[in-house]
Amino acid sequence: MAAEGLAGLLPAQTQLEYALLDADTPQEKENLVYQYLKKMDSRERDLTVPELSRDLQWLNTEGPISLHKDLCGKVVVLDFFTYCCINCLHLLPDLHELEHQYSDKDGLVIIGVHSAKFPNEKVLDSIKSAVLRYNIVHPVVNDADATLWHELEVSCWPTLVILGPRGNMLFSLVGEGHKEKLFLFTSITLKFYKERGQIKDNSIGIKLYKDSLPPSPLLFPGKVTVDKSGERLVIADTGHHRILVTLKNGQILHTIGGPNSGRKDGRFSEAAFNSPQGVAIKNNVIYVADTENHLIRKIDLELEIVTTVAGIGIQGVDKEGGAKGEEQPISSPWDVVFGNSVSGTQEDDVLWIAMAGIHQVWALMLEGGKLPKGSDLKKGVCLRFAGSGNEENRNNAYPHKAGFAQPSGLSLASEEPWNCLFVADSESSTVRMISLKDGAVKHLVGGERDPLNLFAFGDVDGAGINAKLQHPLGITWDKKRKLLYVADSYNHKIKVVDPKMKNCATLAGTGEASNVVGSSFTQSTFNEPGGLCIEENGRLMYVADTNNHQIKVLDLETKILSMLPILNPETCDVTDNLSVQKDQIANLPKLPKSAPNIQLPSLSAAPGQTIQFLLKLTLPPDSKLNEEAPNAWFITAEDNNTWLLQGQCLSGEIKDVSCQTVIPFQLPRVCLSAEAVLAIKACLYYCSKDSSACMMKGISFNQPLQIGSTNQGGKMEIVLPSSRTSALL
């Protein structure tokens, strides 16, 4: 066991690092590392890593991996990471490249050791989503209690630890930006131990989580915005590396980029993005935070052309800026929003950028103008506006002295008395304000007073510093109500903030990471929502429900939540939604011919209205439900009514006949007919109490619908069956 942890490596590795600084040629560097390995390998006692508990959860593997059995004879790179951390994300391209260069056949294995910062990140399903979102294809272990982290005395994210074939610790690399050393240390370690015959070429059982995923029209949508007319949405379909422009009914107008990541300007059909996040639209121009390309892109919907307006395509470390946009390196832009300069003559002449990668807020000058506390700037210049670049929760009257911690969402309130940028500062779990009069950075809600404490998170409604958030990623300003809405991502909620009173309260979501649709705000659920926007008229709010791969629609007047159907998406390495529906319909069970078919009274409803069917069935005396069998409800419609099923949950389990089963349904916002018929069916398997005989019976309810043109609001509940048909089984 490694009693000394990583500290045991420090004396020898520090000596090596100093020697490498003086080395002039690659050969000299290789020789220095080779001599270092000879010295480490001849130590009387290895610095070894303790074995991982077999109880830990693994991803991308066929089962648990033993460091000392399965990985004996391998050079192992342990990547201590947490998926919220932008520095950890910056490291992933280096690890991807290393994996392409060396495989387990060559003797190299990379293991992600997920050591969570936030409670939400300890949950296996949350890590699964991150593994898929960031295309991690090596084994990942959920070290939820940070056991190995503490054993090795790791102190920050990310940390890489390189092990020899006996599980012996050889090198550690702390933080990002060590690609050259990572490749040097790894390649020479493989060569050193191959010469000694200690490298094995056996395969490690890899089973990628992404290969078992169902198809989806959206994949990890990060951000969403709506144009001034309220008729068009722009969706960053982040996991499919594309931008979708849709009508408010979900019908796709433009698909730009995807399905694979890349970096290419040009026509919509050839353009390529890499995990785009923030989007801002004005008239027929869209700006995109092309996050993993470290670029700001411009989409012209009239010319159908994509161009680059800021960034050089590789991660920048410059924390000042000031060059012309396409010559200025930038780092992981996460959100963009239009704003106005101090002295400009045109509206929306600045594009504000949440520069998550270097913990700052930047500006791209779309026209010549002046920023608060700044000098005149030419059109096209891209530069820092606020934030020192230190990862802090520091407020200051002078914008350059303030500190942010991975700012990930921006929203503008241009009217008085606000005249500010609101910032969702994810790693400090706060919402902050930047005055557009003088650049002063102030606290609004969340976090705590110590600017260096980035662990002041939670899920507490309250005022100012007493309110607690958990890694908020998105934010939007409601001009009509003078309220701010926050995607409180790791709490799986939408919060509402009154900036006048500094009060923060839960608007929607139970706090559980799941996917309940077609219900009231308080019953609905989300899974790490990452972005949100609100119509100009203040009626509808759209939420990018990232890990549910959906856009949710919140009607702020009726307090009803629904899902935006994505209509006729072009093929994007997944089956489109309508095909999925057809497959689902084809796989639904068939009821026996003897199943009663109950005609229900006609129901008046409105587009977008929620209907809950409450199913209560009674079994014959002396019988019991066979809980092992697929007892289920399902919804169908005849051919000319199948449009009713778009975006619906078509089936669900019946677990207990002693209580009502709730079957959610929501009429599409765009209805193709004023009359339609929906069928609600149930199929039960039950046995006599002595289990001498088992039966399957079904029942069907036909629900005619009269669809009006105006929204009636509210939720309707229909009890199935009615009292006259209550003992049909």
Side-chain angles (χ1 to χ4, degrees):
M1 187 155 160
E4 294 178 88
L6 293 182
L9 285 176
L10 267 178
Q13 191 174 331
T14 302
Q15 250 185 325
L16 171 66
E17 305 259 10
Y18 279 121
L20 287 170
L21 290 173
D22 295 330
D24 295 321
T25 66
Q27 190 59 54
E28 279 182 77
K29 291 179 180 179
E30 288 176 17
N31 288 341
L32 284 168
V33 176
Y34 201 87
Q35 293 306 314
Y36 169 88
L37 286 170
K38 276 177 80 170
K39 181 178 169 185
M40 293 296 288
D41 197 58
S42 62
R43 285 175 66 132
E44 200 172 301
R45 184 175 68 88
D46 283 338
L47 283 168
T48 55
V49 175
E51 186 57 272
L52 290 167
S53 164
R54 289 194 65 79
D55 296 334
L56 294 181
Q57 301 160 315
W58 286 81
L59 292 170
N60 287 344
T61 68
E62 291 169 350
I65 289 177
S66 162
L67 288 176
H68 294 290
K69 292 177 186 170
D70 303 320
L71 299 180
C72 178
K74 302 290 186 192
V75 171
V76 179
V77 177
L78 297 177
D79 172 26
F80 287 87
F81 78 111
T82 185
Y83 71 78
C84 69
C85 158
I86 195 74
N87 311 89
C88 301
L89 303 187
H90 288 162
L91 203 62
L92 289 176
D94 298 349
L95 296 177
H96 283 315
E97 198 175 320
L98 192 64
E99 284 168 316
H100 281 297
Q101 194 160 326
Y102 303 106
S103 69
D104 53 357
K105 291 280 185 191
D106 301 309
L108 179 73
V109 176
I110 297 173
I111 303 282
V113 184
H114 192 272
S115 309
K117 171 183 174 179
F118 293 100
N120 180 64
E121 295 178 308
K122 296 183 179 186
V123 180
L124 186 68
D125 281 344
S126 300
I127 304 168
K128 278 182 180 177
S129 293
V131 162
L132 177 68
R133 194 184 321 167
Y134 300 117
N135 195 30
I136 297 172
V137 293
H138 49 253
V140 172
V141 61
N142 180 14
D143 187 20
D145 296 323
T147 307
L148 190 57
W149 169 286
H150 292 307
E151 290 271 11
L152 298 188
E153 296 177 3
V154 176
S155 59
C156 81
W157 299 280
T159 293
L160 297 178
V161 181
I162 301 174
L163 311 179
R166 303 186 296 273
N168 47 320
M169 285 197 291
L170 298 170
F171 305 93
S172 73
L173 295 168
V174 177
E176 59 171 296
H178 303 298
K179 180 180 175 181
E180 186 185 334
K181 282 183 192 169
L182 172 64
F183 277 72
L184 174 66
F185 293 169
T186 306
S187 61
I188 303 304
T189 303
L190 283 167
K191 179 185 174 189
F192 179 85
Y193 283 108
K194 266 180 188 166
E195 288 174 357
R196 282 155 179 73
Q198 293 181 35
I199 296 295
K200 296 179 182 175
D201 64 359
N202 59 301
S203 287
I204 302 299
I206 298 289
K207 185 179 180 183
L208 294 183
Y209 168 58
K210 68 177 183 179
D211 294 339
S212 63
L213 278 172
S216 167
L218 296 176
L219 189 64
F220 299 108
K223 302 285 185 186
V224 61
T225 194
V226 61
D227 72 0
K228 277 200 171 171
S229 72
E231 294 303 314
R232 290 182 301 178
L233 296 177
V234 183
I235 302 166
D237 189 9
T238 308
H240 286 141
H241 310 288
R242 65 179 183 171
I243 303 299
L244 296 182
V245 182
T246 76
L247 292 175
K248 64 188 298 182
N249 67 351
Q251 182 185 336
I252 292 180
L253 299 174
H254 301 282
T255 300
I256 309 147
N260 300 314
S261 63
R263 177 195 164 197
K264 193 170 177 21
D265 287 342
R267 308 286 307 171
F268 284 4
S269 56
E270 61 187 8
F273 300 86
N274 191 351
S275 300
Q277 287 283 346
V279 280
I281 182 170
K282 183 182 180 185
N283 301 325
N284 283 312
V285 173
I286 299 167
Y287 287 92
V288 181
D290 191 6
T291 304
E292 292 191 22
N293 273 330
H294 310 287
L295 298 173
I296 302 297
R297 314 289 289 282
K298 179 182 176 182
I299 298 171
D300 189 315
L301 294 176
E302 286 182 358
L303 300 176
E304 298 199 348
I305 291 285
V306 177
T307 54
T308 296
V309 292
I312 60 171
I314 56 173
Q315 184 192 337
V317 293
D318 180 3
K319 294 180 180 179
E320 294 292 333
K324 201 162 171 57
E326 55 270 35
E327 297 166 8
Q328 175 62 54
I330 61 175
S331 179
S332 297
W334 210 274
D335 203 5
V336 287
V337 68
F338 289 108
N340 299 328
S341 67
V342 173
S343 60
T345 55
Q346 294 190 32
E347 193 182 24
D348 297 334
D349 59 353
V350 176
L351 188 74
W352 301 111
I353 306 166
M355 206 69 78
I358 42 178
H359 315 295
Q360 295 176 324
V361 174
W362 280 44
L364 173 65
M365 304 304 295
L366 303 179
E367 299 293 339
K370 193 174 181 179
L371 299 182
K373 288 191 177 170
S375 52
D376 288 327
L377 298 164
K378 290 182 180 176
K379 178 179 177 178
V381 168
C382 187
L383 76 167
R384 166 180 68 153
F385 171 52
S388 64
N390 297 327
E391 191 173 7
E392 297 176 332
N393 172 20
R394 189 179 297 280
N395 301 302
N396 199 288
Y398 192 71
H400 288 185
K401 291 185 177 178
F404 295 94
Q406 213 169 301
S408 303
L410 296 175
S411 189
L412 179 78
S414 55
E415 63 269 39
E416 295 295 343
W418 313 112
N419 195 14
C420 72
L421 266 179
F422 290 108
V423 183
D425 198 37
S426 61
E427 280 294 288
S428 68
S429 295
T430 62
V431 175
R432 321 272 288 282
M433 305 162 64
I434 309 176
S435 167
L436 294 179
K437 289 179 184 171
D438 58 14
V441 177
K442 298 174 184 174
H443 169 269
L444 186 58
V445 293
E448 69 126 287
R449 287 185 176 83
D450 179 356
L452 299 179
N453 182 3
L454 302 182
F455 285 78
F457 53 79
D459 183 6
V460 181
D461 290 351
I465 222 146
N466 296 319
K468 291 291 178 274
L469 306 167
Q470 189 183 176
H471 199 76
L473 289 172
I475 201 162
T476 191
W477 175 244
D478 181 347
K479 291 180 186 174
K480 180 180 174 183
R481 299 173 185 86
K482 310 300 182 205
L483 295 172
L484 191 68
Y485 300 102
V486 182
D488 193 2
S489 305
Y490 286 6
N491 283 326
H492 316 293
K493 287 182 174 183
I494 306 302
K495 301 276 178 77
V496 58
V497 177
D498 177 351
K500 193 174 180 183
M501 307 302 293
K502 288 198 166 188
N503 195 55
C504 177
T506 298
L507 175 76
T510 64
E512 180 190 355
S514 64
N515 189 20
V516 175
V517 187
S519 61
S520 68
F521 287 4
T522 51
Q523 294 171 308
S524 58
T525 58
F526 303 88
N527 192 339
E528 290 192 20
L532 69 178
C533 65
I534 191 166
E535 285 182 320
E536 191 88 356
N537 66 14
R539 174 72 187 262
L540 299 178
M541 180 159 64
Y542 298 93
V543 176
D545 194 5
T546 304
N547 285 0
N548 280 327
H549 318 295
Q550 293 172 351
I551 303 299
K552 298 273 175 64
V553 187
L554 281 67
D555 189 318
L556 295 171
E557 291 180 12
T558 64
K559 299 291 190 284
I560 296 292
L561 179 142
S562 59
M563 188 187 89
L564 180 79
I566 301 299
L567 302 173
N568 302 318
E570 297 168 18
T571 305
C572 180
D573 84 344
V574 293
T575 319
D576 69 49
N577 203 28
L578 294 176
S579 306
V580 173
Q581 298 271 320
K582 285 173 186 168
D583 290 346
Q584 287 177 345
I585 292 164
N587 292 329
L588 292 174
K590 300 285 185 285
L591 294 186
K593 288 182 180 176
S594 61
N597 191 354
I598 310 300
Q599 291 293 329
L600 299 172
S602 184
L603 186 66
S604 295
Q609 186 151 23
T610 297
I611 305 169
Q612 280 193 348
F613 294 99
L614 307 176
L615 181 66
K616 180 72 163 69
L617 299 173
T618 308
L619 296 178
D622 298 322
S623 61
K624 61 181 180 180
L625 196 67
N626 181 350
E627 293 176 1
E628 303 300 315
N631 303 295
W633 59 264
F634 49 102
I635 298 174
T636 65
E638 296 302 319
D639 286 347
N640 59 339
N641 289 163
T642 51
W643 56 270
L644 283 168
L645 307 179
Q646 179 64 37
Q648 305 290 342
C649 179
L650 296 183
S651 63
E653 284 183 84
I654 298 175
K655 295 181 178 176
D656 185 357
V657 291
S658 67
C659 57
Q660 285 180 332
T661 298
V662 178
I663 301 172
F665 177 79
Q666 185 186 27
L667 273 167
R669 290 188 170 276
V670 177
C671 293
L672 304 185
S673 169
E675 295 183 354
V677 179
L678 189 69
I680 303 97
K681 303 180 181 184
C683 184
L684 291 187
Y685 296 79
Y686 59 93
C687 306
S688 56
K689 284 205 171 156
D690 60 4
S691 297
S692 61
C694 289
M695 287 144 279
M696 185 274 269
K697 291 216 172 172
I699 187 168
S700 178
F701 301 90
N702 273 13
Q703 177 64 74
L705 298 166
Q706 295 288 331
I707 303 166
S709 57
T710 55
N711 193 332
Q712 298 170 336
K715 177 175 66 181
M716 287 192 286
E717 291 187 344
I718 307 297
V719 178
L720 303 176
S722 63
S723 56
R724 64 189 175 85
T725 58
S726 60
L728 288 161
L729 297 181

